[in-house]
Amino acid sequence: MARALSAPARLSILEQLAQGERGVEALAEKTGLTIANCSQHLQQLRRSGLVTSRRDGKAVIYCLTDAKTLELMDLLRVVAERNLAQVERILRGLSGGETAPETMSRDDLAARLAEGSVTVLDVRPSDEYEAGHIPGAFNIELDKLESLVSDLDSDKEIIAYCRGPYCIYAHQAVAALRKHGLNARRLEGGLPEWREDGRPVLDGAA
């Protein structure tokens, strides 16, 4: 299991499977791997017990064996942030050289959504958003974020989220929004952690 987690490509695959089950071709496209290479990584992950598979006609569909894998991946991130100076430099770079604002907890976001006092942005690709997203979240990809800025309510706090512990989209979105003077920060965790809490998830386009 430790060997299975030691390859960045396999962490990318696990991050994708945390969004929902996928076939080899879709995983290869999302992670930038060849189909053959992606298949080899999946076999390693399956042998380690981290993923499982099922047949759907001729296709093989993969998913996480245990949602606790998300916690394991997040603990790796936490330990890295606490003990590796280069991780801090990377995160500071994503925030334009500034210290990133404190994240919002999922409990706090749920309460703020109920009040209607927050704007939530899902900055993952549209296909991942359509497969499942936080109710009330707007989908906007990073390359289109600038076009949305003028439409955002500056009186509301803006919370961005993406895939999970290794996804940098939310970091980048928050930095871009704060440059425009908007009150923005990240959600603690991403869509998979929200779902694992037992909170509601919607599917379909906005």
Side-chain angles (χ1 to χ4, degrees), residues 60-115:
V60 179
I61 307 299
Y62 291 87
C63 65
L64 293 182
T65 304
D66 190 334
K68 288 291 185 182
T69 302
L70 293 173
E71 294 183 29
L72 178 59
M73 293 171 67
D74 194 42
L75 282 171
L76 290 174
R77 176 194 62 82
V78 170
V79 172
E81 286 185 15
R82 288 181 177 177
N83 297 285
L84 296 176
Q86 59 263 47
V87 175
E88 182 182 353
R89 288 196 296 270
I90 290 169
L91 294 176
R92 189 177 289 274
L94 292 172
S95 299
E98 300 179 358
T99 301
E102 183 180 352
T103 58
M104 176 176 281
S105 73
R106 295 186 290 279
D107 284 340
D108 284 348
L109 179 60
R112 296 284 296 278
L113 280 169
E115 296 171 354

Side-chain angles (χ1 to χ4, degrees), residues 9-162:
R10 290 196 281 274
L11 291 175
S12 294
I13 290 171
L14 290 171
E15 181 179 63
Q16 284 297 325
L17 290 176
Q19 314 309 306
E21 60 180 20
R22 296 185 185 275
V24 180
E25 291 81 3
L27 285 168
E29 181 180 357
K30 283 285 189 179
T31 57
L33 300 169
T34 65
I35 291 176
N37 196 6
C38 185
S39 182
Q40 290 176 356
H41 285 302
L42 283 165
Q43 295 310 310
Q44 177 71 31
L45 289 168
R46 186 163 61 177
R47 284 194 295 270
S48 71
L50 292 170
V51 306
T52 187
S53 63
R54 63 176 178 83
R55 283 278 178 183
D56 183 10
K58 293 183 179 180
V60 179
I61 307 299
Y62 291 87
C63 65
L64 293 182
T65 304
D66 190 334
K68 288 291 185 182
T69 302
L70 293 173
E71 294 183 29
L72 178 59
M73 293 171 67
D74 194 42
L75 282 171
L76 290 174
R77 176 194 62 82
V78 170
V79 172
E81 286 185 15
R82 288 181 177 177
N83 297 285
L84 296 176
Q86 59 263 47
V87 175
E88 182 182 353
R89 288 196 296 270
I90 290 169
L91 294 176
R92 189 177 289 274
L94 292 172
S95 299
E98 300 179 358
T99 301
E102 183 180 352
T103 58
M104 176 176 281
S105 73
R106 295 186 290 279
D107 284 340
D108 284 348
L109 179 60
R112 296 284 296 278
L113 280 169
E115 296 171 354
S117 61
V118 68
T119 298
V120 182
L121 299 182
D122 183 321
V123 292
R124 298 173 301 155
S126 59
D127 62 319
E128 296 176 28
Y129 174 85
E130 291 172 14
H133 57 268
I134 294 174
F138 297 96
N139 182 221
I140 183 72
E141 295 183 39
L142 282 173
D143 60 352
K144 300 180 178 67
L145 187 60
E146 290 291 331
S147 66
L148 180 72
V149 167
S150 61
D151 296 326
L152 292 171
D153 186 347
S154 59
D155 293 329
K156 287 186 176 181
E157 187 171 21
I158 301 165
I159 304 301
Y161 74 90
C162 51

Side-chain angles (χ1 to χ4, degrees), residues 139-199:
N139 182 221
I140 183 72
E141 295 183 39
L142 282 173
D143 60 352
K144 300 180 178 67
L145 187 60
E146 290 291 331
S147 66
L148 180 72
V149 167
S150 61
D151 296 326
L152 292 171
D153 186 347
S154 59
D155 293 329
K156 287 186 176 181
E157 187 171 21
I158 301 165
I159 304 301
Y161 74 90
C162 51
R163 291 169 176 155
Y166 300 125
C167 186
I168 64 172
Y169 295 155
H171 288 273
Q172 294 171 310
V174 167
L177 292 168
R178 290 176 72 85
K179 283 182 180 178
H180 286 277
L182 294 168
N183 182 14
R185 54 178 168 148
R186 290 186 304 115
L187 174 66
E188 182 181 34
L191 189 279
E193 290 83 0
W194 176 275
R195 181 194 289 120
E196 183 58 19
D197 285 347
R199 303 181 194 276

